[in-house]
């Protein structure tokens, strides 16, 4: 299966919040064809779906030749996954012909919380499937916390129904968990057909492996929220191809597997010119897809 590229719009979050349609135009002019929408305006924590009429967005996308392949949406992170108003989410994206809804993360810290999250994801995923949608789960680092011989991510994989829940694997966060992307891709198999791609700086502010950062700091208390505030910074990331990520190995493996349909650029690093950065990213990743 050929792999197509796309971009997660969090890459241009600041630009998007200032000029939503103007930023979409620039993304299209750069050469991107596929986009993953983000649900929350992180500048003021409002929802884009409350600000951007779906009809206006649909018309703009048609004019720009952009296809929405997926959208990241979630409720409050301190509330159960299935307590969110998913009906309004599905109604909005139905008009955009976007059938893949991505849960950006869940704040889990132990086995019991992981199992509860898996149950909630199954319920939401079943509901989405019955309405013609697919639920995806997107990882960060904390889901790879080890509990005995398994990680919390293992619990999510093993206790969600493959009919109802798929996985959007963030390859950069896997590296920051001290793991190898090919190992996680192998375990997920055909449950993963979308990946997120970021690169990690050669000289990050904090250790690449965030669990090592905790250990070096003598911090034994794992907090799945504070780890990002304390041990990550925009300077930890680089434009694709300018960091530590081994693209050749990962993309050769993905081509051999044949499951991955989309490699989504997510540029979260410090950059004086984000449009130039995502342009660089597109040119670089095209070498491997």
């Amino acid at each position: 299966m050929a792999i197509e590229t796309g971009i997660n719009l969090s890459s241009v979050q600041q630009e998007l919040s200032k000029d939503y349609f103007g930023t979409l135009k620039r993304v299209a002019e750069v050469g991107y064809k596929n986009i993953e929408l983000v649900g929350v305006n992180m500048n003021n924590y409002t929802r884009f779906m409350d600000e951007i009429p779906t009809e206006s967005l649909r018309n703009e996308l048609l004019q720009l030749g952009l296809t929405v392949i997926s959208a990241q949406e979630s409720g409050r992170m301190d509330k159960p996954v299935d307590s969110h108003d998913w009906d309004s989410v599905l109604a909005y994206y139905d008009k955009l012909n976007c059938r893949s809804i991505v849960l950006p993360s869940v704040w889990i810290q132990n086995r019991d919380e992981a199992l509860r999250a898996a149950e909630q994801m199954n319920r939401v995923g079943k509901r989405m499937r019955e309405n013609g949608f697919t639920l995806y789960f997107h990882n960060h680092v904390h889901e790879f916390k080890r509990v005995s011989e398994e990680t919390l991510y293992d619990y999510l994989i093993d206790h969600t129904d493959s009919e109802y829940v798929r996985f959007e694997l963030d390859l950069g966060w896997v590296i920051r968990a001290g793991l190898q992307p090919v190992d996680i891709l192998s375990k997920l198999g055909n449950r993963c057909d979308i990946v997120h791609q970021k690169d990690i700086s050669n000289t990050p502010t904090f250790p690449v492996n965030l669990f090592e950062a905790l250990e070096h700091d003598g911090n034994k208390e794992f907090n799945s929220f504070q780890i990002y505030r304390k041990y990550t910074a925009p300077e930890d990331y680089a434009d694709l191809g300018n960091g530590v990520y081994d693209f050749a190995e990962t993309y050769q493996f993905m081509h051999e597997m044949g499951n991955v349909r989309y490699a989504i650029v997510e540029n979260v690093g410090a950059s004086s010119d984000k449009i130039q950065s995502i342009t660089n990213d597109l040119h670089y990743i095209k070498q491997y897809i």
Side-chain angles (χ1 to χ4, degrees):
M1 178 185 295
I3 302 174
E4 296 184 46
T5 193
I7 186 169
N8 177 279
L9 291 185
S10 66
S11 303
V12 286
Q13 179 71 245
Q14 292 186 1
E15 293 80 1
L16 203 66
S17 65
K18 295 175 184 177
D19 182 1
Y20 195 97
F21 288 156
T23 302
L24 288 180
K25 182 178 180 182
R26 298 194 72 184
V27 166
E29 290 172 343
V30 163
Y32 287 97
K33 302 296 182 185
N34 301 308
I35 61 173
E36 180 173 77
L37 298 178
V38 289
V40 178
N41 182 339
M42 296 302 293
N43 285 11
N44 53 22
Y45 293 97
T46 57
R47 297 196 309 175
F48 282 121
M49 62 180 288
D50 294 331
E51 302 170 354
I52 310 296
T54 185
E55 293 81 5
S56 299
L57 179 54
R58 182 182 61 209
N59 292 337
E60 188 70 18
L61 293 168
L62 285 171
Q63 290 183 13
L64 295 174
L66 292 174
T67 299
V68 180
I69 60 168
S70 51
Q72 289 192 328
E73 283 284 350
S74 67
R76 285 179 49 177
M77 301 305 289
D78 60 342
K79 298 291 184 181
V81 174
D82 52 355
S83 68
H84 186 49
D85 180 13
W86 291 109
D87 288 340
S88 64
V89 170
L90 300 189
Y92 186 86
Y93 290 104
D94 179 60
K95 295 177 182 177
L96 298 176
N97 198 29
C98 170
R99 298 289 171 174
S100 299
I101 307 299
V102 183
L103 184 65
S105 188
V106 288
W107 297 124
I108 52 176
Q109 299 194 106
N110 54 53
R111 179 181 181 276
D112 289 343
E113 290 180 359
L115 294 180
R116 282 197 296 272
E119 290 179 2
Q120 296 161 13
M121 288 160 62
N122 279 332
R123 288 194 288 270
V124 174
K126 182 175 186 292
R127 188 167 157 195
M128 286 193 185
R129 183 177 174 81
E130 291 170 348
N131 286 276
F133 289 81
T134 301
L135 175 67
Y136 285 78
F137 176 75
H138 172 275
N139 63 281
H140 286 70
V141 165
H142 65 274
E143 297 95 342
F144 294 102
K145 176 186 178 182
R146 189 163 292 281
V147 179
S148 298
E149 298 301 314
E150 296 189 277
T151 67
L152 300 180
Y153 196 73
D154 290 326
Y155 289 123
L156 294 178
I157 296 172
D158 296 339
H159 293 273
T160 50
D161 191 321
S162 61
E163 293 294 315
Y164 302 142
V165 181
R166 299 180 71 85
F167 290 83
E168 177 183 80
L169 186 65
D170 190 303
L171 304 171
W173 284 125
V174 172
I175 292 292
R176 301 219 68 181
L179 301 172
Q180 295 302 313
V182 295
D183 294 336
I184 312 301
L185 285 165
S186 180
K187 177 160 188 175
L188 288 171
N190 60 15
R191 296 185 72 182
C192 175
D193 57 1
I194 306 175
V195 299
H196 265 209
Q197 185 67 68
K198 54 173 66 74
D199 205 345
I200 317 301
S201 171
N202 289 298
T203 56
T205 305
F206 300 96
V208 172
N209 184 336
L210 294 187
F211 292 109
E212 284 186 358
L214 283 169
E215 190 174 319
H216 291 166
D217 203 25
N219 190 342
K220 303 299 183 182
E221 184 65 27
F222 179 87
N223 184 298
S224 63
F225 184 73
Q226 293 298 332
I227 187 173
Y228 302 103
R229 288 188 170 181
K230 191 170 183 180
Y231 297 105
T232 62
E235 291 74 22
D236 289 348
Y237 302 95
D239 291 357
L240 301 188
N242 290 305
V244 303
Y245 198 90
D246 186 346
F247 286 83
E249 178 187 15
T250 302
Y251 282 79
Q252 179 181 343
F253 185 80
M254 288 195 297
H255 281 296
E256 291 171 354
M257 282 184 65
N259 298 318
V260 175
R261 296 182 299 141
Y262 296 105
I264 305 298
V265 168
E266 186 180 20
N267 189 307
V268 296
S271 174
S272 59
D273 186 343
K274 271 291 183 178
I275 300 302
Q276 185 59 55
S277 286
I278 65 171
T279 303
N280 298 340
D281 290 342
L282 180 60
H283 291 163
Y284 187 81
I285 202 169
K286 279 185 174 180
Q287 301 176 59
Y288 296 97
I289 62 169

